[in-house]
Amino acid sequence: MSKLSKWILAIILFASIVCEMPTISAKGETIIINTKSLNIRSGPGLTYPVTGSMKKGERAEVLSTSGDWHEIRFGSGKGWIASWLVVNEEAKEFAAMSAVSKVNALNIRTEPSLNAAVIGQMDAGESAVMTGRQGEWASIVKNGIDGWVHTDYITEIPQSEKRQTSTVDKPDIGSDQFTVSVDALNVRKAPGLSSKKVGLIHKGESYSVKEIDGNWVRLSLGKKTSGWVYSFHGTLGAKSVKGRESNTASSNKKVTVLTNGTNIRSSATTSSSIVVRANAGEKLTVIGEEGDWYNVSLPSGETAFIAKWVVSTGDVASAERIDKPKKKTARASGTLNGLTIVVDAGHGGNDRGTTGMQGTDEKLLTLMTAELLSAKLKAAGANVVMTRESDTYVSLRKRVSVSHQSGADAFISLHYDANPDTSITGFTTYYTHTSQKSLASSINDGLASTISLRNRGAQPANFLVLRENRQNAVLIELGFLSNPSEERILTTEMFREQATHGIYQGLLDHFDAN
């Protein structure tokens, strides 16, 4: 080979190597992985095989986008990743922003989801460095913790203005009345969250303003007494109805404890200390609400918190008005546009569910099925809410609460069955209330058209997630893990693909007919 030929060959080889190298295109968007580990798939959806993975902090170039999925350059090839688990590199701009909490006990979560684990909290007025945004969530860093908070409960301000709130957060000093806009608001001795509580005021009440210090307002409470409140929890303006006249409805609301030994806590979190325990049937007066908790008055005169999912209000009609979302978009036949569907992956965390003859954990199988079903429903236009998106424990009443809060058009609880008699096989769709029977029948028919297991039909059953659910709800047992032959079928990707398509078809048929 001549010297010239060798040079030409070397140039060709060099060019081919350069062309294969992953580069960051000036025209392409650069994203950063924002979860501990992210699967790379061969196509834009959870049904496609996993071809690799990336770790938190790694960067990639976006080549194209399909729905909620990004095509990226990966090694010498290409792959697809979920867009909701990454952030744009431009998120670095948010480092110059602060997120100031509007409420007490604002949860900081591991992921941008209400089902993600809580790793910390922020109280009203506390701030954190904002590092990015994803939909209705903001990523923050506080005291060394990286996490996510919901943007409904924060105010975003430039860090340079953090101490200069006069143009951002500070109320108008010329206003002479402060009107409470939350159910209950603590009054403190001094302008700070660590200051002693000296009273409690309620929604709609108005008080004279004596002084303003940053985000804090000192109010005249009568009889030469005064106290400080955080300004985010009210409005300053012209004089309005004063005192406690508007508190009648709030003070008359009562809740009933549902189980014996129910914990009543010092603050609105399960990690706070237990003040007292209540038994089933006891009624408590509600003086305020904080997230998923009621602030209640105890017989001793103290105030404490009880979780909403362990009590009954006895006022379904009013609760439905609160929980129902705003007007839905029109739905075309053959689609799920405008519908909200809650997909409930049964069990999770320390609740493994049943374990199959070959060691299959129900909790993991339900989650894989829920993820696949969610992808299909989203593709059909539905707004999908999952009660859990990882291997975490979620109480039954919390699952029902998610259904109520989202105003679900359908609540689908996914399970796999077991029986001491290992010869029993088949799938079953359960309902409790007669209003749920139509949905159960449609879904059961849909499953029967796609999977070859024995059809045990749509049957009534007394499951809590159905019994306590005000929304249209069903619980599906997709087969028996206790039967060795059926377990081998249930653990295949093919079965999950067929089963989720059957549920999807059943939902379409139900809503087209209703």
Side-chain angles (χ1 to χ4, degrees):
M1 183 181 290
S2 68
K3 190 174 182 179
L4 178 61
S5 298
K6 290 179 179 178
W7 275 106
I8 293 172
L9 181 59
I11 291 170
I12 293 172
L13 288 171
F14 178 77
S16 65
I17 291 170
V18 170
C19 289
E20 291 297 322
M21 290 176 64
T23 59
I24 302 300
S25 168
K27 295 180 181 179
E29 175 187 1
T30 301
I31 50 87
I32 303 171
I33 307 306
N34 199 45
T35 188
K36 187 176 181 181
S37 178
L38 177 60
N39 288 330
I40 300 171
R41 297 181 181 270
S42 62
L46 293 169
T47 58
Y48 290 90
V50 175
T51 58
S53 65
M54 298 181 72
K55 295 180 180 179
K56 188 170 185 176
E58 290 186 328
R59 286 169 165 75
E61 173 196 357
V62 176
L63 302 176
S64 66
T65 299
S66 176
D68 291 330
W69 292 80
H70 290 321
E71 184 185 23
I72 62 166
R73 193 180 300 282
F74 178 64
S76 60
K78 301 174 183 178
W80 292 83
I81 59 175
S83 63
W84 61 89
L85 297 176
V86 302
V87 292
N88 191 299
E89 191 172 44
E90 294 175 0
K92 291 185 294 183
E93 298 173 3
F94 290 106
M97 299 291 288
S98 288
V100 181
S101 177
K102 298 179 182 178
V103 297
N104 285 323
L106 172 60
N107 287 328
I108 304 172
R109 298 182 181 271
T110 55
E111 303 289 347
S113 166
L114 289 173
N115 297 320
V118 176
I119 55 175
Q121 289 187 329
M122 293 172 63
D123 281 329
E126 289 188 331
S127 65
V129 175
M130 186 171 170
T131 57
R133 188 189 290 111
Q134 185 175 314
E136 297 179 332
W137 295 83
S139 58
I140 62 164
V141 177
K142 180 172 175 58
N143 298 331
I145 297 174
D146 292 318
W148 294 83
V149 293
H150 202 284
T151 53
D152 282 354
Y153 307 109
I154 62 169
T155 297
E156 300 169 26
I157 62 172
Q159 286 195 38
S160 59
E161 298 181 18
K162 190 173 172 183
R163 300 295 179 183
Q164 302 170 13
T165 57
S166 58
T167 59
V168 181
D169 305 311
K170 191 173 180 178
D172 180 8
I173 191 67
S175 304
D176 61 354
Q177 288 287 315
F178 178 89
T179 303
V180 183
S181 58
V182 293
D183 289 317
L185 178 58
N186 287 319
V187 181
R188 299 181 182 273
K189 188 175 182 179
L193 291 170
S194 59
S195 179
K196 181 181 178 182
K197 298 176 186 177
V198 295
L200 189 72
I201 56 180
H202 300 80
K203 188 172 184 176
E205 297 174 8
S206 295
Y207 299 89
S208 297
V209 175
K210 306 297 291 183
E211 182 182 355
I212 294 177
D213 182 3
N215 291 325
W216 291 83
V217 183
R218 185 164 69 92
L219 306 178
S220 173
L221 303 177
K223 297 183 178 179
K224 297 183 180 180
T225 61
S226 65
W228 293 86
V229 296
Y230 195 63
S231 64
F232 277 117
H233 299 311
T235 56
L236 284 150
K239 192 172 183 178
S240 58
V241 180
K242 189 176 181 179
R244 300 184 173 271
E245 295 173 1
S246 62
N247 191 43
T248 306
S250 175
S251 63
N252 288 338
K253 181 177 180 179
K254 290 184 179 293
V255 293
T256 305
V257 179
L258 296 174
T259 56
N260 290 333
T262 296
N263 294 329
I264 300 178
R265 299 181 179 272
S266 59
S267 59
T269 170
T270 54
S271 61
S272 62
S273 60
I274 298 171
V275 177
V276 69
R277 288 185 171 88
N279 290 324
E282 290 187 32
K283 295 185 181 296
L284 301 168
T285 300
V286 175
I287 58 175
E289 296 182 34
E290 191 171 312
D292 289 334
W293 296 76
Y294 286 121
N295 189 3
V296 297
S297 176
L298 302 178
S300 64
E302 295 178 278
T303 61
F305 291 84
I306 189 168
K308 290 181 178 179
W309 60 88
V310 297
V311 298
S312 170
T313 63
D315 185 13
V316 173
S318 63
E320 284 177 343
R321 287 195 296 272
I322 294 170
D323 294 333
K324 275 288 183 183
K326 293 180 180 178
K327 186 178 180 181
K328 297 178 183 293
T329 56
R331 185 186 70 85
S333 179
T335 73
L336 298 175
N337 290 337
L339 298 176
T340 296
I341 299 175
V342 173
V343 177
D344 175 42
H347 309 284
N350 57 9
D351 176 12
R352 299 173 66 177
T354 190
T355 300
M357 298 292 286
Q358 300 175 49
T360 306
D361 278 343
E362 181 185 4
K363 68 173 183 176
L364 300 180
L365 208 52
T366 59
L367 183 58
M368 289 190 288
T369 309
E371 289 174 342
L372 189 54
L373 177 60
S374 174
K376 284 181 165 63
L377 300 182
K378 285 179 180 178
N383 170 38
V384 179
V385 179
M386 292 182 67
T387 58
R388 68 180 181 97
E389 295 180 273
S390 59
D391 184 18
T392 54
Y393 174 76
V394 182
S395 72
L396 296 179
R397 292 194 179 278
K398 178 62 177 177
R399 294 168 195 259
V400 174
S401 178
V402 170
S403 178
H404 293 167
Q405 290 171 3
S406 60
D409 294 286
F411 174 95
I412 313 296
S413 189
L414 301 172
H415 291 261
Y416 288 83
D417 221 334
N419 195 289
D421 182 352
T422 58
S423 66
I424 295 178
T425 61
F427 69 93
T428 320
T429 311
Y430 291 104
Y431 63 93
T432 297
H433 306 296
T434 54
S435 59
Q436 300 166 343
K437 185 176 181 179
S438 174
L439 177 61
S441 297
S442 295
I443 289 177
N444 198 80
D445 290 344
L447 281 167
S449 69
T450 59
I451 62 178
S452 57
L453 302 185
R454 175 193 172 202
N455 183 0
R456 295 164 57 86
Q459 301 182 23
N462 188 24
F463 292 112
L464 186 145
V465 293
L466 305 182
R467 183 182 70 245
E468 301 296 322
N469 212 320
R470 297 194 300 267
Q471 313 306 124
N472 205 354
V474 298
L475 185 147
I476 310 168
E477 295 282 6
L478 285 165
F480 283 80
L481 290 173
S482 52
N483 180 279
S485 298
E486 195 151 279
E487 181 182 9
R488 283 193 289 271
I489 297 171
L490 301 179
T491 52
T492 63
E493 289 186 13
M494 178 64 74
F495 176 79
R496 291 194 294 276
E497 179 67 38
Q498 293 171 337
T500 52
H501 184 75
I503 297 169
Y504 156 73
Q505 189 60 53
L507 284 165
L508 277 182
D509 292 344
H510 172 77
F511 287 110
D512 281 349
N514 294 277

